[in-house]
Amino acid sequence: DVKVTQSSRYLVKRTGEKVFLECVQDMDHENMFWYRQDPGLGLRLIYFSYDVKMKEKGDIPEGYSVSREKKERFSLILESASTNQTSMYLCASSLLLVAEQYFGPGTRLTVT
Amino acid sequence: GQQVMQIPQYQHVQEGEDFTTYCNSSTTLSNIQWYKQRPGGHPVFLIQLVKSGEVKKQKRLTFQFGEAKKNSSLHITATQTTDVGTYFCAGGNTDKLIFGTGTRLQVFP
C-alpha cells in the first residue's frame, strides 16, 4: 500500500514565524505535490516536484517555497507565516504527472 | 489558464435519492479522475477514465467521460449515509492534473 505521511496533523504558529511542513512517501514516486484546501476553493496547487532538486510553481506559490533533497521527501516552507496562510495543507505523490495521486492525511495549520 | 469547474458546490439529499455531480473543462483532457474525501479525511482516488464516451461503474457509482473529453459526471444511485463527503474531479492534460472545486454531498437518513 502506498503511504504518504505528513509531519503534523495540527500546527499552530505565530505570524512571522518560519514554518516547515514535511511530507514523506514510500512508493518511490517521481512526483510530489503540495496543495492547500480552503472551503469552497477546492484543492489549489502550491508547488510540485518531478525529480530530486527539481520544482515547479503551481497556481498559488506566493509566500511559499519548497525543498526536495531526497526522492521520498518534499518539504513546504512558509518563510514568514501570515494569517491568510491558515489552511489545510495536503501533500500528494504520483508515479506520473497525470496519474493517480496518493494523498497524505493533511496538516491543519493555524497562524495567529 | 486551464480550468476545471464542478457543479453543484453543495448537494443535500435524502437517503435513497440519486445524486449527480458534473465536471467541465475549458480544454480537452487526456484523462479524468475522480476522488472522494470523507469529512476529516483526505482525497482518495476512485477511478480514472481515458477514452471518449467511456462509462465505468463501481457498485452504485457510475462515471462518464464526455464524447469531446471536456466534461464528466459522477452519478450515485440510491445514496447511503456512507456516501457523505466531497467528490472531486481532476482533469489531466499533457503534464498537469487540475482538480475541480469539489461537490460536497450531505445525505440525510
Side-chain angles (χ1 to χ4, degrees), chain A residues 1 7-8 11-12 19 25 31 33 45 47 56 78 90 103:
Chain A
D1 258 3
S7 49
S8 307
L11 210 52
V12 180
V19 182
Q25 52 97 1
N31 307 286
F33 309 83
L45 181 64
Y47 268 96
E56 291 281 345
L78 287 66
L90 289 159
F103 284 84

Side-chain angles (χ1 to χ4, degrees), chain A residues 1-111:
Chain A
D1 258 3
V2 177
K3 204 158 197 175
V4 180
T5 56
Q6 294 183 229
S7 49
S8 307
R9 289 301 304 270
Y10 300 94
L11 210 52
V12 180
K13 294 292 181 180
R14 293 188 181 275
T15 302
E17 277 193 270
K18 191 167 187 175
V19 182
F20 293 86
L21 303 183
E22 301 281 329
C23 175
V24 178
Q25 52 97 1
D26 66 358
M27 281 303 291
D28 203 36
H29 283 170
E30 302 290 336
N31 307 286
M32 296 187 75
F33 309 83
W34 274 107
Y35 295 91
R36 66 176 281 177
Q37 182 174 23
D38 301 288
L41 298 178
L43 297 169
R44 293 184 291 167
L45 181 64
I46 304 171
Y47 268 96
F48 69 98
S49 167
Y50 53 88
D51 201 351
V52 175
K53 296 192 188 296
M54 306 305 289
K55 60 187 179 187
E56 291 281 345
K57 292 180 180 179
D59 301 316
I60 51 163
E62 297 79 18
Y64 304 95
S65 62
V66 290
S67 171
R68 191 155 180 214
E69 296 297 318
K70 292 186 177 181
K71 193 175 186 180
E72 67 271 18
R73 190 178 297 268
F74 191 34
S75 303
L76 179 69
I77 303 149
L78 287 66
E79 295 289 341
S80 177
S82 63
T83 53
N84 62 13
Q85 292 178 310
T86 291
S87 186
M88 170 67 84
Y89 290 88
L90 289 159
C91 174
S93 73
S94 69
L95 194 56
L96 302 171
L97 278 173
V98 292
E100 168 187 354
Q101 292 189 10
Y102 297 85
F103 284 84
T107 296
R108 185 164 294 281
L109 172 68
T110 303
V111 183

Side-chain angles (χ1 to χ4, degrees), chain A residues 35 37 40 98-101 104, chain B residues 9 31 33 35 37 42 93:
Chain A
Y35 295 91
Q37 182 174 23
V98 292
E100 168 187 354
Q101 292 189 10
Chain B
Q9 191 173 5
N31 65 326
Q33 298 172 11
Y35 293 75
Q37 183 177 24
H42 57 275
N93 62 18

